[in-house]
């Protein structure tokens, strides 16, 4: 086979093998790549930071297991941000298959903080600092219902406690007591939050999403319907950077560690595209 | 009659939905709230039962008739039964009537989810990286002016979104942000407007009974 | 008295011009309270809102942060007279304002704030209905060629000649998704052709309700084509609800059955490329259609034909050529023209208003 034919028709298995090596090596030998936070992420960070003591923020962990790698670092970064700055936070999921992931992120960050807390005040206490509302189908019910009363929609929380008996919920009654809702998702759920909660109740919405669905959300960020936007692994790395730089939170930065893999993967794909085009040109010339 | 009742129902439901948008008065909203908060929840619960029943029926049938790959149907039924029993009786925080640990080995629903569902789904999603590489290699050829433009924009965005992009030029990430915020959004807005109008038109056609494919075929 | 003296000594000024009014365009039970900031706002911790019912004592009902001038009281009962006071709070010192005039909360029957949406609904709905009415009168309506829909016949023919099956993937959407309904329309047409040519059809589903509808549609199509005997009930089945499980199942079908033609029409998420690229690797001809914007680039890259957004919604009109459906497409298109004209006009006005020369005309 002539060289241009080889370049034009590289076996996909060779592409997969090279990509596998290039992506895996930096993960086996991880190092944190510093990123420069961009404006959409900074806006989200600032909005969360501005949450006052009389309000809470809601974290909607509606990301499926397949996008956990991209979106879970966002959940962890936002939770670290909230706990470090003592912002009250409500966590929920709109679908049952995502509850496990929300639990995982919560447990991890609570454990991180409580393992170094020396006093009761320093600790992260359930009911005082955070509440895990759980899941309430179908999604439209909590989206609209929480505008009237959060406790009416989530009568009991995920652990079976009466929601209105929890300390935090004495003051956090509905969207008026929520500064911002951060929706983490790989689908169109954030747009539903805008359609229902923001349209009717004026709720501020911030988004964390996969890189693939990020393109869908830029129009909404541009119009101000999304206060801020974290897109993909890089968005997560930027938020991690902001949380560490502004509040000194130390913890494993999974997204930042993956930046090197991401860089090499992009470069290798670009290389294959160039090789393919060289073969294409040579082939055309021969003809 | 078989087709007329659903058509009447869809007309009434569509009309009620539009009216609830216009009338905030509680004497109307209370019915809207009942439909949304109570009726929808009941319907969703029934849909779940329907799905599970269908799944079990299809695979039991496959096993009974020993159709091709019937062995995998056994796998599905066993996995279904095991996770259902553990989920129902093992409790949310491993506090149910069914014991979910043997020594240090735990098999509560959270452990099953974290160790089976999450890795499986993540692995499938990880395949996207490989498919993207092979699709990009195969399809991104400079065949025309538009293809060249697409290629150049793709290269700029791919470099610009990386930390490397900032090292190459401080303005590159901002330029990439501009590409994503302006030309990308402009193109998308056109399509989104069209889709939104398409949804309005199709919804109107369904409410008025002009579009009947959802009823299950036939005129 | 001692509090007033204390405030005077401390110098904490209360807010002024407290105004309370019924929240407009709501279902009642809400009163908006506005005030002018205290001159000591910089030293304030917060503002407390007090309410009295029918002339009774004032009771605290809310708290809001410094530099805020608005509070919405959502705990009122319609028909009761309320008056409000707002207090500047600094540590333990409070400075109460004068009471607001009394107000009653009442529910509204019409949400007047959304009048622009009603107008838009009337215009666009009216246009669509107008063209549907015109179509009923027998007027010929032109619709441009859509390559993906033109190719359906050829694609089905290819599968028949090769003796291989056709795979029809409806995507992850629910029955209420417009993309799913549009896809079901196309499925009906494809099923009619496979019935005529005796080609095997495989329709895996992700949603149980969509599965039951798809089954009925395929069965009806085979009956309408005069081939009820050729209908295989196993050809339409429920596969998996979960996204990647669904993709894995479809990939398995593609690699085992090696269909000659793949239809990927409906709502898709990230699994679109997993499915499309596997289909491309098996050498099948692929016709895709979705309104999920993020997936369009993947389909365009990996498939032979792609229906973009509303081309998918136009499918039922395009294939059936039913006048009522064509009329709706026409109405949509004219609505788009109006929106485009409005956008262009608004952009021109916006641009022109930036020019300083306009200040000459003020």
């Amino acid at each position: 086979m002539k060289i241009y034919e080889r370049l034009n028709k590289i076996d996909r298995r060779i592409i997969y093998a090279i990509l596998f090596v290039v992506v895996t090596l930096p993960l086996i030998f991880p190092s944190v790549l510093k990123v420069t936070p961009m404006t959409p992420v900074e806006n989200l960070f600032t909005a969360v930071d501005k949450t006052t003591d009389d309000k809470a923020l809601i974290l909607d962990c509606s990301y499926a297991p397949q996008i956990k790698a991209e979106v879970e670092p966002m959940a962890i970064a936002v939770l670290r941000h909230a706990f470090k700055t003592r912002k009250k936070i409500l966590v929920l999921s709109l679908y049952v298959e995502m509850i496990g992931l929300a639990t995982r992120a919560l447990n991890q960050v609570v454990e991180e903080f409580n393992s170094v807390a020396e006093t009761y005040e320093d600790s992260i206490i359930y009911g005082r600092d955070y509440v895990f509302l759980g899941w309430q189908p179908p999604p439209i019910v909590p989206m609209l219902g929480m505008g009237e009363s959060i406790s009416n929609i989530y009568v009991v929380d995920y652990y079976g406690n009466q929601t209105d008996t929890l300390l935090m919920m004495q003051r956090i009654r509905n969207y008026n007591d929520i500064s911002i809702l951060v929706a983490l998702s790989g689908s169109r759920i954030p747009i539903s939050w805008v359609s229902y909660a923001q349209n009717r109740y004026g709720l501020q919405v911030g988004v964390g999403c996969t890189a693939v669905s990020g393109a869908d959300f830029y129009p909404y960020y541009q119009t101000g319907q999304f206060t801020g936007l974290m897109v993909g692994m890089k968005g997560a790395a930027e938020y991690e950077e902001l949380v560490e730089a502004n509040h000194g939170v130390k913890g494993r930065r999974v997204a930042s560690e993956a930046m090197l893999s991401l860089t090499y993967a992009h470069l290798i794909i670009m290389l294959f595209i160039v090789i393919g085009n060289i073969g294409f040109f040579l082939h055309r010339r021969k003809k | 009659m078989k087709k007329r009742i659903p058509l009447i129902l869809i007309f009434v439901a569509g009309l009620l939905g539009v009216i609830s948008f216009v009338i905030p008065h509680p004497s109307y909203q209370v019915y809207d709230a009942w439909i949304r908060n109570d009726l929808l929840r009941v319907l969703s619960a029934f849909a779940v039962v329907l799905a599970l029943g269908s799944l079990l029926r299809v695979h039991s049938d496959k096993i009974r008739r020993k159709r091709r790959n019937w062995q995998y149907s056994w796998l599905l039924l066993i996995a279904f039964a095991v996770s259902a029993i553990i989920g129902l009786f093992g409790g949310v925080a491993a506090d149910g009537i069914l014991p979910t640990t043997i020594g240090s080995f735990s098999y509560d629903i959270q452990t099953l989810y974290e160790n089976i569902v999450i890795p499986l789904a993540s692995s499938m999603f990880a395949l996207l990286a490989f498919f993207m590489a092979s699709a990009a290699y195969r399809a991104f050829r400079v065949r025309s002016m538009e293809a060249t433009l697409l290629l150049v924009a793709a290269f700029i965005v791919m470099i610009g979104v990386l930390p490397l992009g900032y090292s190459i030029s401080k303005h590159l990430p901002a330029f990439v942000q501009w590409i994503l915020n302006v030309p990308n959004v402009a193109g998308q807005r056109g399509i989104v407007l069209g889709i939104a109008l398409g949804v309005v038109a199709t919804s109107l056609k369904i409410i008025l009974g002009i579009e009947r494919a959802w009823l299950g075929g036939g005129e | 008295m001692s509090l007033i003296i204390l405030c005077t000594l401390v110098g904490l000024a209360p807010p002024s011009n407290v105004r309370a009014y019924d929240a407009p365009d709501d279902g009642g039970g809400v009163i908006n309270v506005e005030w002018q900031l205290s001159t000591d706002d910089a030293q304030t911790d917060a503002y407390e809102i007090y309410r009295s019912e029918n002339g009774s004592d004032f009771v605290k009902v809310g708290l809001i942060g410094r530099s805020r001038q608005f509070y919405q009281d959502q705990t009122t009962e319609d028909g009761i007279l309320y008056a409000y006071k707002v207090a500047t709070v600094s540590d333990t010192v409070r400075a109460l304002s004068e009471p607001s005039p009394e107000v009653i909360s009442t529910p509204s029957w019409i949400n007047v704030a959304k009048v622009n949406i009603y107008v838009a609904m009337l215009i666009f709905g009216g246009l669509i209905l107008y063209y549907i009415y015109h179509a009923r009168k027998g007027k010929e309506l032109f619709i441009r060629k859509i390559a993906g829909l033109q190719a359906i016949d050829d694609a089905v023919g290819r599968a028949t000649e090769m003796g291989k099956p056709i795979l029809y993937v409806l995507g992850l959407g629910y029955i209420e998704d417009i993309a799913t309904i549009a896809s079901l329309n196309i499925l009906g047409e494809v099923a009619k052709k496979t019935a005529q040519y005796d080609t095997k059809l495989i329709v895996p589903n992700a949603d149980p309700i969509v599965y039951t509808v798809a089954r009925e549609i395929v069965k009806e199509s085979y009956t309408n084509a005069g081939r009820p005997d050729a209908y295989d009930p196993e050809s339409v089945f429920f596969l998996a609800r979960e996204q990647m499980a669904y993709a894995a199942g479809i990939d398995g079908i593609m690699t085992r059955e090696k269909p000659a033609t793949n239809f990927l029409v409906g709502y898709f998420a990230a699994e679109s490329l997993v499915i499309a690229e596997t289909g491309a690797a098996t050498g099948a001809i692929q016709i895709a259609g979705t309104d999920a914007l993020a997936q369009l680039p993947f389909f365009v890259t990996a498939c032979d034909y792609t229906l973009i957004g509303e081309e998918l919604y136009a499918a039922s009109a395009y294939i059936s050529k039913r006048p009522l459906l064509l009329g709706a497409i026409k109405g949509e298109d004219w609505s788009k023209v109006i929106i485009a004209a409005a956008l262009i006009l608004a952009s021109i006005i916006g641009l022109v208003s930036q020019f300083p020369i306009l200040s000459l005309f003020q």
Side-chain angles (χ1 to χ4, degrees):
Chain A
M1 204 192 254
K2 297 210 169 27
I3 181 83
Y4 59 83
E5 280 172 11
R6 280 184 193 274
L7 291 178
N8 213 14
K9 284 194 169 73
I10 299 176
D11 191 332
R12 47 171 43 91
R13 286 170 294 188
I14 296 173
I15 298 175
Y16 295 161
I18 294 173
L19 191 67
F20 176 77
V21 169
V22 153
V23 167
T24 323
L25 276 176
L27 294 175
I28 296 172
F29 307 105
S31 67
V32 169
L33 200 63
K34 272 183 95 62
V35 293
T36 308
M38 305 301 294
T39 313
V41 177
E42 280 180 340
N43 287 347
L44 181 62
F45 178 86
T46 307
V48 170
D49 227 24
K50 276 190 177 154
T51 304
T52 51
D53 292 339
D54 58 326
K55 295 210 183 216
L57 58 118
I58 295 180
L59 183 65
D60 169 20
C61 293
S62 292
Y63 51 94
Q66 47 265 37
I67 59 170
K68 167 183 139 338
E70 257 182 303
V71 183
E72 192 178 68
M74 295 176 190
I76 290 172
V78 171
L79 285 168
R80 282 178 183 160
H81 187 185
F83 290 155
K84 181 69 180 180
T85 51
R86 307 315 271 210
K87 313 273 182 231
K88 297 188 230 331
I89 184 164
L90 295 162
V91 181
L92 57 90
S93 280
L94 294 175
Y95 296 95
V96 67
E97 59 266 29
M98 294 145 184
I99 280 281
L101 289 166
T103 316
R104 214 177 113 99
L106 258 177
N107 290 346
Q108 180 188 323
V109 182
V110 169
E111 173 58 27
E112 266 175 27
F113 277 77
N114 286 345
S115 63
V116 297
E118 286 169 9
T119 62
Y120 181 78
E121 277 67 40
D122 284 344
S123 306
I124 303 300
I125 305 296
Y126 187 82
R128 183 191 76 183
D129 300 306
Y130 75 102
V131 169
F132 187 17
L133 295 170
W135 161 67
Q136 193 61 254
I140 193 176
V141 166
M143 280 181 181
L144 284 170
M146 289 201 292
E148 315 273 339
S149 165
I150 298 174
S151 311
N152 277 356
I153 297 298
Y154 295 96
V155 177
V156 291
D157 67 3
Y158 181 68
Y159 301 112
N161 308 305
Q162 288 285 120
T163 323
D164 54 9
T165 61
L166 297 169
L167 183 62
M168 201 169 102
M169 302 307 291
Q170 307 306 311
R171 306 213 21 198
I172 308 300
R173 288 156 305 157
N174 54 37
Y175 286 146
N176 282 343
D177 304 309
I178 301 296
S179 63
I180 186 167
L181 180 140
V182 181
L184 304 179
S185 168
S187 64
R188 297 178 69 80
I189 289 167
I191 294 171
S192 299
W193 280 113
V194 165
S195 302
Y196 297 118
Q198 191 179 89
N199 255 353
R200 283 216 190 181
Y201 300 103
L203 179 71
Q204 260 200 110
V205 177
V207 174
C209 64
T210 55
V212 157
S213 42
D216 267 348
F217 296 141
Y218 276 106
Y220 294 86
Y221 168 70
Q222 232 196 20
T223 54
Q225 285 161 305
F226 291 153
T227 305
L229 189 56
M230 291 184 280
V231 176
M233 196 83 92
K234 174 133 184 295
E238 290 173 23
Y239 204 95
E240 285 173 350
E241 178 66 35
L242 284 167
V243 169
E244 189 173 306
N246 287 283
H247 299 297
V249 176
K250 295 275 181 217
R252 185 164 172 220
R253 289 168 51 167
V254 171
S256 305
E257 284 173 12
M259 283 293 103
L260 214 51
S261 274
L262 191 69
T263 304
Y264 292 149
H266 277 214
L267 291 173
I268 207 78
I269 288 174
M270 287 164 67
L271 183 64
F272 278 126
I273 293 172
V274 168
I275 290 172
N277 276 292
I278 292 172
F280 176 70
F281 274 125
L282 288 174
H283 182 75
R284 261 215 323 214
R285 225 195 223 170
K286 267 290 175 189
K287 279 194 169 177
Chain B
M1 209 53 189
K2 190 176 144 190
K3 296 251 159 96
R4 196 163 282 195
I5 293 175
L7 284 171
I8 293 171
L9 275 174
I10 204 85
F11 178 74
V12 170
L15 205 60
L16 288 177
V18 170
I19 292 172
S20 88
F21 188 75
V22 175
I23 300 179
H25 203 281
S27 54
Y28 183 83
Q29 287 294 326
V30 68
Y31 298 110
D32 184 66
W34 172 75
I35 293 171
R36 273 191 286 111
N37 295 345
D38 298 330
L39 192 61
L40 265 181
R41 283 196 213 181
V42 171
L43 287 174
S44 301
F46 273 105
V48 168
V49 171
L50 194 74
L52 295 177
S54 159
L55 188 71
L56 292 174
R57 203 182 54 244
V58 161
H59 287 275
S60 313
D61 197 56
K62 220 172 173 184
I63 292 169
R64 211 161 18 98
R65 291 171 199 245
K66 293 255 190 308
R67 291 186 190 275
R68 202 156 51 128
N69 300 316
W70 61 273
Q71 297 89 337
Y72 295 111
S73 293
W74 267 119
L75 207 62
L76 184 135
L77 290 180
I78 292 168
F80 179 93
V82 166
S83 51
I85 291 168
I86 291 176
L88 282 169
F89 302 110
V92 161
D95 52 359
I97 56 172
L98 181 76
T100 52
T101 48
I102 299 173
S104 61
F105 175 74
S106 67
Y107 50 91
D108 59 280
I109 200 72
Q110 183 70 13
T111 308
L112 285 182
Y113 183 78
E114 283 184 18
N115 293 288
I116 299 177
V117 178
I118 292 178
L120 278 174
S122 302
S123 305
M124 280 299 298
F125 202 82
L127 287 177
L128 267 180
F130 299 99
F131 285 140
M132 260 189 230
S134 62
Y137 165 75
R138 201 184 65 249
F140 279 176
R141 299 292 159 90
V142 180
R143 291 190 181 92
S144 63
M145 188 61 192
E146 291 90 357
T148 312
L149 211 59
L150 175 66
L151 192 59
V152 169
F155 268 40
I156 292 173
V157 173
M158 281 173 80
I159 297 257
V161 295
L162 300 172
L164 176 67
Y166 191 76
S167 319
I168 293 173
S169 164
K170 284 194 184 51
H171 303 293
L172 188 56
F175 180 56
V176 165
Q177 213 61 61
W178 179 86
I179 291 178
L180 292 170
N181 282 349
V182 181
N184 168 54
V185 168
Q188 281 203 26
R189 281 231 177 97
I191 302 176
V192 165
L193 272 169
I195 288 174
L197 282 167
V199 168
V200 167
T202 310
S203 305
L204 209 57
K205 282 186 285 183
I206 293 171
I207 291 172
L208 295 174
I210 298 169
E211 186 78 73
R212 297 183 192 186
W214 56 274
L215 271 177
E219 290 292 310
Chain C
M1 186 63 174
S2 55
L3 182 61
I4 295 167
I5 292 168
L6 184 63
C7 292
T8 314
L9 284 172
V10 170
L12 195 65
S16 57
N17 290 337
V18 177
R19 189 173 81 92
Y21 58 94
D22 175 35
D25 304 317
D26 68 339
V30 182
I31 288 176
N32 292 341
V33 186
E34 289 178 352
W35 59 90
Q36 276 183 342
L37 291 175
S38 159
T39 49
D40 295 321
D41 182 65
Q43 287 87 42
T44 308
D45 292 333
Y47 290 98
E48 281 176 350
I49 294 89
Y50 292 81
R51 182 182 78 192
S52 103
E53 279 180 42
N54 290 329
S56 62
D57 289 340
F58 280 87
V59 166
K60 185 175 137 189
V61 292
L63 178 90
I64 202 149
R66 179 199 311 161
S67 305
R68 307 218 181 162
Q69 293 174 267
F70 176 84
Y71 177 82
Q72 191 170 72
D73 181 6
Q74 295 187 340
T75 59
T76 63
E77 270 181 53
D78 296 340
I80 295 179
L81 271 172
Y82 294 102
Y84 288 86
K85 284 185 184 178
V86 182
T88 322
V89 177
S90 178
D91 206 12
T92 53
V93 177
R94 275 152 185 72
L96 272 171
S97 68
E98 292 299 312
S100 70
E102 284 177 324
V103 65
I104 297 177
S105 66
T106 49
S108 313
W109 276 105
I110 304 283
N111 192 334
V112 176
K114 292 181 184 168
V115 73
N116 54 342
I117 297 175
Y118 308 148
V119 169
M121 271 164 65
L122 282 170
I123 294 174
F124 299 136
L127 266 172
I128 290 165
L129 291 172
Y130 170 77
Y131 278 103
I132 289 175
Y133 169 73
H134 255 263
R136 278 187 100 141
K137 287 170 88 180
K139 193 171 175 203
E140 272 281 326
L141 293 169
F142 167 76
I143 188 166
R144 68 165 171 87
K145 273 196 180 27
I146 300 174
L149 298 172
Q150 291 276 100
I152 289 177
D153 271 334
D154 294 336
V156 173
R158 181 181 191 257
T160 311
E161 278 167 30
M162 292 171 78
K164 289 187 177 178
I166 291 174
L167 177 65
Y168 197 101
V169 180
L170 283 151
L172 292 177
Y174 298 102
I175 192 63
E176 63 261 26
D177 290 326
I178 305 296
T180 308
I181 292 174
S183 181
L184 287 166
N185 287 332
I186 302 176
L187 173 63
E189 294 302 320
V190 169
K192 260 196 215 135
K193 293 189 200 311
T194 57
Q196 282 163 8
Y197 302 141
D198 220 2
T199 317
K200 187 179 174 192
L201 181 66
I202 305 171
V203 187
N205 291 271
D207 182 72
I209 297 176
V210 174
Y211 149 67
T212 49
V213 175
R215 199 179 55 186
E216 285 306 308
I217 284 178
V218 172
K219 196 163 141 195
E220 278 281 323
S221 295
Y222 273 69
T223 308
N224 290 341
R227 297 292 316 275
D229 52 300
Y231 168 65
D232 176 12
E234 301 285 314
S235 63
V236 185
F237 53 96
F238 176 75
L239 186 60
R241 179 63 232 168
E242 212 269 321
Q243 180 189 28
M244 286 303 170
Y246 184 62
I250 290 172
D251 283 357
I253 294 169
M254 282 177 173
T255 40
R256 283 191 306 271
E257 305 283 339
K258 294 218 179 346
T261 302
N262 297 331
F263 287 93
L264 312 175
V265 188
Y267 174 74
F268 291 86
E271 80 286 356
S272 60
L273 187 62
V274 175
I275 296 171
E277 188 61 12
T278 308
T282 62
I285 186 171
Q286 300 198 108
I287 299 175
T290 184
D291 59 357
L293 288 177
Q295 313 312 322
L296 283 170
F298 301 130
F299 280 145
V300 167
T301 312
C303 298
D304 299 282
Y305 300 95
T306 307
L307 300 170
I308 297 174
E310 58 204 305
E311 287 180 344
L312 174 62
Y313 303 150
S316 60
Y318 190 92
I319 294 169
S320 66
K321 298 273 189 283
R322 274 176 64 207
L324 295 187
L325 300 177
L326 284 171
I329 304 288
K330 207 79 184 169
E332 268 177 65
D333 285 348
W334 276 109
S335 304
K336 259 184 281 178
V337 167
I338 292 174
I339 291 176
L343 284 171
I344 292 168
L345 190 63
S347 305
I348 292 171
I349 293 173
L351 270 171
V352 163
S353 68
Q354 299 298 316
F355 294 139
I357 197 166
L358 275 185
S359 65
L360 287 175
F361 297 98
Q362 285 172 1

